[in-house]
Structure formats: C-alpha cells, structure tokens
Amino acid sequence: MRIILYTGKGGVGKTSVAAATALRCAEFGHRTVVLSTGAAHSLSDSFGVPLGPEPAEIVRNLWGQEVDVYYSIEKHWATLQRYMAAVFS
C-alpha cells in the first residue's frame, strides 16, 4: 500500500494534482481512493461526479470521497462512546 499526501496553502492546485494522480494510478490498474479532507470540497467538481462522505466509484479502480466530520461522528457514535467509556473508566 502506498499513500500520497498533498498539503499546502489554499489555491495552489492540490485538488487538481491529487485528482490527476489518482486517475493515472487507476489507469495503471492500481485500486485507488482519492479523498478530500478540506472544509471547502471541490474534488467532485474535478471529476464531474457527485461525491460524499462514503467512497463512490468514479471510474474503474478509482473511488472518491469528501470527508464529512459530522457524518462520520454520527455514523460511528456508538463506537466512540464505547471507546471513551473505556478510556475514562
């Protein structure tokens, strides 16, 4: 498994480079997930498909996701509660 992480200030093209890299990896046959963790998601715009908090297939070997903290907390709330109870017991 390989993880490629693009970071930097806003407006420098991180999303565009990540989208292009992910697409090329998928074209080479690598199962690839590209995700956005930023508050102002534009990954779905890069691919022209709707993306959300769960991975969605874009093309063969490529899935995309735009992380939503509130969605994830709600989905995993019971697990978080058990973990916190164990930590504080």
Side-chain angles (χ1 to χ4, degrees), residues 35-39 41 52-54 65-72:
L35 63 95
S36 170
T37 60
H41 296 297
E54 295 287 337
Q65 178 178 355
E66 294 179 333
V67 174
D68 179 335
V69 173
Y70 298 110
Y71 172 88
S72 297

Side-chain angles (χ1 to χ4, degrees), residues 52-65:
E54 295 287 337
E57 189 169 15
I58 299 169
V59 295
R60 186 169 185 248
N61 292 323
L62 177 59
W63 293 263
Q65 178 178 355

Side-chain angles (χ1 to χ4, degrees), residues 8-50:
K9 68 180 275 225
V12 297
K14 295 180 301 292
T15 299
S16 298
V17 171
T21 302
L23 190 56
R24 191 66 175 144
C25 289
E27 289 171 350
F28 279 127
H30 302 295
R31 292 175 39 151
T32 306
V33 176
V34 60
L35 63 95
S36 170
T37 60
H41 296 297
S42 61
L43 193 58
S44 60
D45 296 328
S46 296
F47 289 109
V49 298

